[in-house]
Amino acid sequence: MAEAQEINISNQAREFLDSNHQLLINGEWVASKSGDKIAVIDPATEEQISEVDAGNAEDINDAVAAARSALTGEWSKIPSHDRAQILNKLADEIEMNFDVLSELEVLDNGMPMPLAQYSIASHGTALLRYYASWATKIHGSTIPVSPGGAMNGESITYTRREPIGVVGAIIPWNSPLIFAILKLTPALAAGCTVILKPAELTPMTALFLGELIRNSGIPKGVVNIVTGYGETAGAALTEHHDVDKIAFTGSTEVGKKIVEASIGNLKKVTLELGGKSPVVVFPDADLEKVIPGAARACFFLQGQNCMAGTRLFVHKDIYEPVLAGVKEMAEAFTIGHGLIPTNDFGPLISATQKKRVMEYIQIGKDEGADLLSGGESVGDKGYFVQPTIFSNVKGDMRIAREEIFGPVLCAESFDDSDLETIANKANNTSYGLSGSVWTQDISVAHKMAMLIDSGQVSINCHAAVDPAIPFGGNKQSGWGREFGKEGLEPYLKTKATTVIF
Ligand code: NAP
Ligand code: MG
């Protein structure tokens, strides 16, 4: 890493960071009741770049009241075609502010600039436009009913798809703007109202989005944004009896707390949780694609990625060249501040996260895995950790089973066992989010894809994400799916109406 690299922050980003950040409640920016603030840190410099309000249970009460009243107000009367236009207008606003949003995302989260730009363009605005087009296609069906019984005479039954209601959306810090958009867009397409609780570590782009929402024609109270801590603002939202649904992305541990907190009013819950995804490489795979594919699968976003392919299973015949290639790629990453265009590997999000990752690296060494590359923290400032590769990892090691959420790849070889045996190794975790299979043999590829117990499997690539592709976890990786038509369903409820003639 180059020493103390000079970074340039644009006037627009600087002005935004320096402005007073409050909570968006009922269409207005309002101060948190407590007056408490959360410092916002650039993880690449450890310097404070801004501060935001820490909302608490009282602020959540106000936001929920605003969302409840907006649900049956002007918003419910807006035709679906206009809802679609509003979502497209918000996408336009994001495109017009693309540069500053990308810059704020880099400063707040630490991700390299090309990644921020790619994610905002290909997942942010694309998601808005995708769900905008769903807004006009939400409808029920007409159901023939046999005469007799309760329906004495001729009858007709039809269903309506209605918005599920007031949605509490709680998101993590690893891709802040995309998660905000991913939660808001299907909810708004369905006609719901939302209270968004961004991660305490990365609130900036959600707040910028709040201002764009105010400009986009979305009525007051439809989207409320309460920055704050998970244990206070987040918990208050999940416990609130006037919230109909929680859409959560985050850790499995907090996901379980959310399920418990939701029992009070039996609110509906969708959960996108952790992962420990396998990358399975067969001996006929194209190494030119496998090597960069496996390196990116694990080290994308410094491994702070729920879909990360952190367990690499390679056939013994190609184990050495694949690992040598991935090691070469890992060591070629340029580590440093995301605003410097030549850097392609940023910091971890926080001191806590860095400590956690370094502890796991020590655990890997203690468990007897071979440290092939990396393993050290980098520089004096910023939460940087080298891309790290362990080889000869065994399935019962903690580094192979627990989500590290950092740049740590665990590799092991397999022999000519049958596909079920290989799949058993790949499935040997409590997670089931993503996974990939690399081979030229279409039978092996599809059989293996069927055997991997996860919500998503990619063949000859890893973690294919698109607004139209359903995404979500099996086992302890979550409940429900996001993206695609399936991602709209949790924001709708069905009402059946029967008419007797
Ligand atoms: P986290 O600690 O679970 O936090 C996620 C969100 O929940 C944050 O906004 C957090 O607030 C809030 N929260 C914390 N405690 C809460 C509580 N008791 N009640 C309600 N809300 C609460 O997760 P993270 O550390 O931010 O993110 C990393 C995790 O997210 C990893 O496990 C990763 O795999 C998972 N993830 C999953 C997906 C997916 O799509 N499956 C995508 C990305 C990340 P604070 O910010 O104050 O902690
Ligand atoms: Mg957290």
Side-chain angles (χ1 to χ4, degrees):
M1 186 175 77
E3 282 305 305
Q5 292 170 305
E6 190 82 7
I7 58 157
N8 289 314
I9 301 178
S10 71
N11 289 341
Q12 198 187 357
R14 172 67 66 203
E15 221 170 89
F16 181 73
L17 293 170
D18 289 346
S19 62
N20 183 23
H21 301 292
Q22 299 184 318
L23 314 176
L24 181 63
I25 297 179
N26 205 23
E28 307 295 336
W29 293 109
V30 296
S32 67
K33 292 275 194 306
S34 69
D36 293 344
K37 302 279 180 191
I38 301 176
V40 181
I41 307 293
D42 175 351
T45 61
E46 300 183 33
E47 278 164 24
Q48 182 172 343
I49 51 170
S50 190
E51 65 174 18
V52 298
D53 275 19
N56 62 16
E58 279 184 87
D59 303 300
I60 289 290
N61 277 342
D62 289 352
V64 173
R68 174 60 60 193
S69 141
L71 184 68
T72 48
E74 185 192 346
W75 183 232
S76 64
K77 320 276 182 311
I78 290 182
S80 56
H81 172 78
D82 294 353
R83 277 210 312 274
Q85 281 201 328
I86 285 174
L87 289 176
N88 277 317
K89 169 98 177 10
L90 187 55
D92 296 342
E93 293 273 347
I94 290 173
E95 277 160 8
M96 283 187 284
N97 290 279
F98 180 77
D99 289 343
V100 67
L101 277 166
S102 311
E103 196 180 351
L104 291 170
E105 196 76 322
V106 171
L107 285 163
D108 200 5
N109 163 278
M111 66 177 73
M113 180 56 96
L115 206 53
Q117 291 172 329
Y118 163 78
S119 65
I120 294 172
S122 62
H123 303 324
T125 48
L127 267 166
L128 275 158
R129 297 201 190 283
Y130 174 81
Y131 279 112
S133 66
W134 269 114
T136 52
K137 296 167 192 67
I138 297 169
H139 56 77
S141 50
T142 315
I143 300 166
V145 184
S146 308
M151 262 83 74
N152 197 5
E154 268 188 272
S155 72
I156 185 169
T157 295
Y158 61 86
T159 58
R160 272 169 53 81
R161 306 305 313 281
E162 298 175 348
I164 195 119
V166 173
V167 175
I170 302 177
I171 55 173
W173 42 259
N174 61 336
S175 220
L177 182 62
I178 301 314
F179 282 116
I181 294 172
L182 177 59
K183 296 291 184 259
L184 289 176
T185 45
L188 297 179
C192 297
T193 58
V194 184
I195 302 100
L196 175 70
K197 205 297 278 174
E200 76 193 50
L201 294 171
T202 54
M204 299 318 303
T205 46
L207 291 171
F208 197 99
L209 184 67
E211 194 52 28
L212 301 185
I213 285 168
R214 273 161 48 96
N215 297 339
S216 65
I218 296 176
K220 289 177 178 214
V222 172
V223 177
N224 305 275
I225 302 176
V226 179
T227 47
Y229 296 105
E231 293 73 16
T232 48
L237 194 53
T238 56
E239 285 160 10
H240 207 292
H241 279 222
D242 212 17
V243 171
D244 299 301
K245 172 188 161 55
I246 293 287
F248 173 75
T249 297
S251 60
T252 296
E253 185 193 349
V254 173
K256 290 179 184 178
K257 286 188 192 167
I258 284 173
V259 171
E260 279 172 23
S262 298
I263 287 175
N265 69 334
L266 288 179
K267 58 175 71 64
K268 314 300 176 257
V269 176
T270 42
L271 304 170
E272 297 288 356
L273 308 176
K276 191 79 185 172
S277 297
V279 174
V280 185
V281 186
F282 287 91
D284 65 337
D286 177 351
L287 295 202
E288 303 236 326
K289 294 197 175 116
V290 167
I291 289 168
R296 282 193 213 106
C298 180
F299 298 127
F300 176 80
L301 274 171
Q302 297 79 248
Q304 302 173 121
N305 169 20
C306 54
M307 300 171 284
T310 46
R311 294 181 304 134
L312 177 61
F313 299 93
V314 187
H315 189 274
K316 63 178 175 27
D317 289 354
I318 52 163
Y319 185 69
E320 294 302 331
V322 168
L323 253 66
V326 175
K327 175 178 179 338
E328 194 182 327
M329 280 208 68
E331 291 173 1
F333 283 119
T334 318
I335 301 176
H337 201 292
L339 285 187
I340 302 208
T342 47
N343 291 337
D344 54 9
F345 196 89
L348 301 184
I349 191 69
S350 64
T352 310
Q353 189 70 6
K354 178 175 169 180
K355 182 166 172 280
R356 174 187 156 89
V357 170
M358 293 309 294
E359 279 169 5
Y360 268 109
I361 291 172
Q362 189 57 48
I363 289 168
K365 292 179 191 167
D366 295 345
E367 285 180 315
D370 296 339
L371 181 65
L372 185 67
S373 183
E376 303 290 335
S377 69
V378 182
D380 302 332
K381 277 280 168 207
Y383 311 121
F384 295 99
V385 173
Q386 290 178 324
T388 298
I389 304 172
F390 281 109
S391 67
N392 299 323
V393 174
K394 303 279 174 289
D396 58 356
M397 292 180 179
R398 282 184 61 196
I399 55 165
R401 301 172 71 91
E402 296 173 17
E403 186 186 46
I404 300 173
F405 222 57
V408 182
L409 179 62
C410 297
E412 93 176 71
S413 64
F414 62 86
D415 57 19
D416 292 306
S417 337
D418 58 284
L419 295 185
E420 274 87 359
T421 308
I422 300 165
N424 285 342
K425 278 173 179 274
N427 292 335
N428 185 24
T429 96
S430 56
Y431 297 107
L433 191 57
S434 186
S436 56
V437 181
W438 300 75
T439 175
Q440 304 297 317
D441 182 327
I442 54 166
S443 300
V444 169
H446 290 289
K447 277 188 200 157
M448 199 61 203
M450 280 186 223
L451 289 169
I452 290 182
D453 188 359
S454 69
Q456 175 194 58
V457 183
S458 307
I459 296 172
N460 294 326
C461 64
H462 188 84
V465 176
D466 181 274
I469 302 178
F471 175 77
N474 295 354
K475 299 194 276 184
Q476 294 194 35
S477 286
W479 282 356
R481 296 292 179 263
E482 292 188 300
F483 295 88
K485 183 168 186 280
E486 286 186 54
L488 188 65
E489 291 296 323
Y491 295 94
L492 294 165
K493 58 190 176 192
T494 299
K495 178 182 285 169
T497 305
T498 298
V499 193
I500 309 261
F501 302 119

